[in-house]
């Protein structure tokens, strides 16, 4: 799955807003009716889920961002930030309008909050405090976390969450909270994202932990 992060040179978005937009775009795409059993996106989505799930975040701006809106996918926003998740496909078959977007240059300013908003019905995605990752890498990880986090919800909760636009908080965990979240993953009250290690970090690294604020 390719994810485009809108980062205009003259007016880049806030880091937290951009990561929330990326995570929300992935969740909205995965839960979209078009990705369901009888939808036009069903076959590529099923093939992706049955294989090794990968995500690649790219930088988009100006006319290239506008052109990317024509490719199958879902655009989400948060604050002044926007991101678009595209229906997945083979690495060699990426649409030219997406392929020409840069993979590097995704870093933007901003500090992640250390605590969630506390709003009921929000999926909280906690970032590992011990890893050094670019914004693009983190965007891919929170996108994965938003997918896995749905497993923490009941069917009715997942439907209500989708209907509400998939509200998400992205936060930086401190080491004590991270240890508690890892224990929550072991107990089944939270879900961890473990990276395959293709880029930036070692295979098996836990990058994000999703926690459901029911």
């Amino acid at each position: 799955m390719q994810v485009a992060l809108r980062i205009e040179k003259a007016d880049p978005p806030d880091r937290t807003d951009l990561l929330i937009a990326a995570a929300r775009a992935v969740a909205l795409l995965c839960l979209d009716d078009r990705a369901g059993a009888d939808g036009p996106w069903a076959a590529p989505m099923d093939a992706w889920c049955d294989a090794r799930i990968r995500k690649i975040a790219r930088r988009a701006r100006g006319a290239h961002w506008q052109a990317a809106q024509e490719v199958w996918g879902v655009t989400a926003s948060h604050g002044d930030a926007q991101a678009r998740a595209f229906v997945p496909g083979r690495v060699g078959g990426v649409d030219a309008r997406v392929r020409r977007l840069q993979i590097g240059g995704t870093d933007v300013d901003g500090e992640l909050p250390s605590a969630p908003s506390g709003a009921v019905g929000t999926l909280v995605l906690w970032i590992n405090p011990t890893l050094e990752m670019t914004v693009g890498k983190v965007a891919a990880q929170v996108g994965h976390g938003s997918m896995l986090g749905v497993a923490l919800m009941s069917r009715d909760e997942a439907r209500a969450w989708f209907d509400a636009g998939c509200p998400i908080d992205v936060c930086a965990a401190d080491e004590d909270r991270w240890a508690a979240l890892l224990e929550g993953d072991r107990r089944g009250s939270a879900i961890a994202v473990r990276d395959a290690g293709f880029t930036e970090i070692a295979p098996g690294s836990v990058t994000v932990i999703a926690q459901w604020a029911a």
Side-chain angles (χ1 to χ4, degrees):
M1 179 184 285
Q2 309 283 330
V3 180
L5 310 175
R6 187 177 188 182
I7 304 175
E8 299 291 346
K9 189 173 183 180
D11 188 23
D14 173 76
R15 178 180 300 224
T16 303
D17 289 350
L18 187 60
L19 292 175
I20 291 174
R24 181 174 290 159
V26 172
L28 288 168
L29 173 63
C30 291
L31 296 175
D32 194 288
D33 287 341
R34 289 168 289 183
D38 298 320
W41 300 348
M45 290 295 293
D46 288 346
W48 179 61
C49 290
D50 289 342
R52 179 176 289 175
I53 293 176
R54 294 185 62 188
K55 295 183 183 68
I56 298 174
R58 298 173 180 266
R59 185 193 71 207
R61 59 176 56 136
H64 287 175
W65 168 257
Q66 297 303 326
Q69 303 309 297
E70 301 170 2
V71 182
W72 270 3
V74 174
T75 295
S77 61
H78 187 78
D80 293 330
Q82 290 180 292
R84 184 171 181 83
F86 300 97
V87 175
R90 294 185 178 276
V91 173
V94 177
D95 188 288
R97 290 165 291 185
V98 177
R99 190 173 61 247
R100 68 187 177 188
L101 304 178
Q102 297 295 315
I103 293 177
T106 57
D107 281 327
V108 293
D109 292 335
E111 294 292 330
L112 297 179
S114 58
S117 64
V120 174
T122 298
L123 185 67
V124 184
L125 303 176
W126 295 95
I127 310 300
N128 188 333
T130 68
L131 296 177
E132 293 289 335
M133 297 182 285
T134 63
V135 172
K137 180 70 174 180
V138 179
Q141 300 305 302
V142 295
H144 204 148
S146 70
M147 290 172 54
L148 296 182
V150 177
L152 297 170
M153 309 174 194
S154 68
R155 193 176 188 87
D156 288 344
E157 287 173 336
R159 171 52 61 182
W161 186 65
F162 176 76
D163 290 343
C166 300
I168 289 170
D169 286 336
V170 175
C171 301
D174 60 28
E175 292 188 8
D176 289 342
R177 186 185 291 272
W178 188 251
L181 289 165
L182 288 172
E183 179 60 30
D185 174 57
R186 286 189 284 270
R187 295 197 310 267
S189 59
I191 292 183
V193 176
R194 289 173 171 82
D195 191 64
F198 291 113
T199 61
E200 297 191 26
I201 57 178
S205 298
V206 177
T207 55
V208 170
I209 295 180
Q211 189 177 46
W212 172 236

